Amino acid sequence: MGARVTAVSSNATYSFSKPNRESVTLLAGLGVEGDVHAGEKVKHRFRVRQNPDQPNLRQVHLIHEELFEELAADGFAVAPGELGENITTRGLDLLGLPTGALLCIGGAAVVEITGLRNPCRQIDGFRAGLMKKVVGRDANGAVAHRAGVMSVVRQGGEIRPGDAIEVELPEGPHRPLKTV
C-alpha cells in the first residue's frame, strides 16, 4: 500500500490543535478553506508581528502518522490534528523530501513543500517535554526538526482520509528542507 492521507483537520480559530474532519478543501494559493492559517500572506501570529506582508509559506501543515507511534513509545499520546497539522500521512517520508517537491493528493489537489515546521513553545503547553522529542539533534549534531512539513497549495481540491498521495520531485539538484 502506498502513501495515504490518514486524517484531515482544520480550525477557523487560533488554537494549538485542529479537529479532524471528514474532508477539507484546498484552495489554490490560499490553503485549507475555512482554516485560520489560509491566505496569501503569512497568518502565523508571531510571523505577522515581524512582517505581515511576507508570503504565506505555511498554508498547509503535514505530519507523518509514524511520528505519533515514535512519540507513543516515549510516553507521549498524540493523535491526528493535535499538533495543529491539516493533513496526517502514512507511508511517506515527509522529512526526507526536498524543497519544491509536489504532493498530488486524491483526485485533484497538489501542494508544494516549502520547508520544515519550526514548532513553537506551545508544543510543551500541549504535552510537557514534547518539544525535546520533535526538535533535537541528528547524528552530526545539527538541529533536526521532526514536527512535519509546511506547504502551499498549487492546485485545489477536496481531500479525505484514505486518499492516495503521489510525489513529484523537482528537477535539478534537490535543496534540503529548512524551517519556514
Side-chain angles (χ1 to χ4, degrees), residues 44-107:
H44 188 277
R45 288 190 265 191
F46 174 76
R47 294 171 193 280
V48 167
R49 285 192 302 269
Q50 289 179 320
N51 177 0
D53 292 325
Q54 51 186 315
N56 188 1
L57 302 178
R58 301 166 59 100
Q59 294 175 357
V60 180
H61 176 201
L62 299 97
I63 284 186
H64 51 296
E65 188 174 60
E66 293 86 351
L67 175 64
F68 302 149
E69 295 163 2
E70 293 173 30
L71 295 173
D74 289 332
F76 293 93
V78 180
E82 288 186 333
L83 296 183
E85 76 276 11
N86 300 109
I87 301 173
T88 310
T89 68
R90 177 165 280 288
L92 178 59
D93 180 11
L94 291 172
L95 304 178
L97 293 172
T99 302
L102 299 177
L103 302 182
C104 305
I105 308 171

Side-chain angles (χ1 to χ4, degrees), residues 6-157:
T6 58
V8 294
S9 310
S10 67
N11 200 338
T13 60
Y14 281 105
S15 69
F16 184 74
S17 298
K18 296 182 185 225
N20 294 153
R21 309 287 182 193
E22 288 184 21
S23 68
V24 294
T25 300
L26 301 187
L27 303 173
L30 296 174
V32 177
E33 182 177 44
D35 192 79
V36 70
H37 290 103
E40 292 178 8
K41 302 289 183 182
V42 67
K43 298 296 179 186
H44 188 277
R45 288 190 265 191
F46 174 76
R47 294 171 193 280
V48 167
R49 285 192 302 269
Q50 289 179 320
N51 177 0
D53 292 325
Q54 51 186 315
N56 188 1
L57 302 178
R58 301 166 59 100
Q59 294 175 357
V60 180
H61 176 201
L62 299 97
I63 284 186
H64 51 296
E65 188 174 60
E66 293 86 351
L67 175 64
F68 302 149
E69 295 163 2
E70 293 173 30
L71 295 173
D74 289 332
F76 293 93
V78 180
E82 288 186 333
L83 296 183
E85 76 276 11
N86 300 109
I87 301 173
T88 310
T89 68
R90 177 165 280 288
L92 178 59
D93 180 11
L94 291 172
L95 304 178
L97 293 172
T99 302
L102 299 177
L103 302 182
C104 305
I105 308 171
V110 178
V111 298
E112 179 181 339
I113 304 300
T114 55
L116 295 166
R117 176 190 185 194
N118 189 12
C120 65
R121 284 181 258 143
Q122 288 182 4
I123 205 163
D124 274 340
F126 173 69
R127 298 275 191 276
L130 188 55
M131 180 70 104
K132 288 182 181 177
K133 297 296 179 182
V134 297
V135 179
R137 300 272 176 193
D138 66 16
N140 299 321
V143 175
H145 292 82
R146 301 173 5 136
V149 298
M150 307 307 288
S151 64
V152 295
V153 181
R154 294 294 177 220
Q155 184 173 307

